[in-house]
Amino acid sequence: MKKVKSQSFVRWFDRQFDSNTGSKYFDEFLKRLENFPAVLNELLKSCPIEVSTRKIGDKWSVNENIGHLILLEDLWRIRFRDIKEGKPDISPADLNNTATDESSFNNMLVEKLIKSLVSERNKTIAMLQKLSEEDLLKASMHPRLQQPMNIIDLMHFVAEHDLHHLHAIQSIIGSMETI
């Protein structure tokens, strides 16, 4: 397992995002989305189960963070479709994360979770690769941020969400190394 330093980060719900990002960023964000599961796999390839399933306070474990990412892939695809179809608002998320909290991700191995994330992310990537230039620039209102987002904006949002959870996972691992 790679040694990482504990990092502090901004709460996800406190983040703000620019909108109306140009299509020139499509390839950059697509690459970030494609590479993320491999980054997680590299970080966690020798992560012992007692580390991956350990909860610190009321925070999710490593496994639960990965499980959360898996669950959200379907929402991302729905939201990308919402924008492509010209819906005025993109579908809302369950801000209470009920599905994550009710799942048993700590009963699974990290390797299996990452494999599932790869499978779900590949579906998202395939969907994005089929979009036209016109599709990329359509916009719908994000329900929590209350701002319009186009496909590229949402790709950036998802990539930053990945990074947010990567930092959370690194923080868990870092805190375990000091015990």
Side-chain angles (χ1 to χ4, degrees), residues 89-128:
D89 300 305
I90 59 176
S91 297
D94 170 11
L95 300 181
N96 294 318
N97 294 302
T98 306
T100 302
D101 291 333
E102 292 178 353
S103 296
S104 299
F105 295 118
N106 284 332
N107 294 330
M108 301 173 74
L109 295 174
V110 167
E111 297 82 8
K112 183 175 181 194
L113 289 166
I114 292 174
K115 192 178 251 187
S116 182
L117 179 60
V118 167
S119 175
E120 289 301 311
R121 181 58 59 92
N122 285 342
K123 293 176 195 175
T124 304
I125 298 300
M127 175 189 197
L128 290 168

Side-chain angles (χ1 to χ4, degrees), residues 12 17 76 79 142 144-145 149 152-162:
W12 179 250
F17 292 87
W76 302 144
R79 286 179 164 188
H142 187 283
R144 178 176 60 82
L145 297 174
M149 289 188 126
I152 310 297
D153 298 332
L154 187 55
M155 291 172 72
H156 180 217
F157 182 90
V158 174
E160 288 297 309
H161 184 262
D162 286 348

Side-chain angles (χ1 to χ4, degrees), residues 76-94:
W76 302 144
R77 290 189 296 272
I78 290 168
R79 286 179 164 188
F80 287 126
R81 257 190 310 277
D82 289 346
I83 295 170
K84 179 185 178 205
E85 293 170 2
K87 292 186 178 177
D89 300 305
I90 59 176
S91 297
D94 170 11

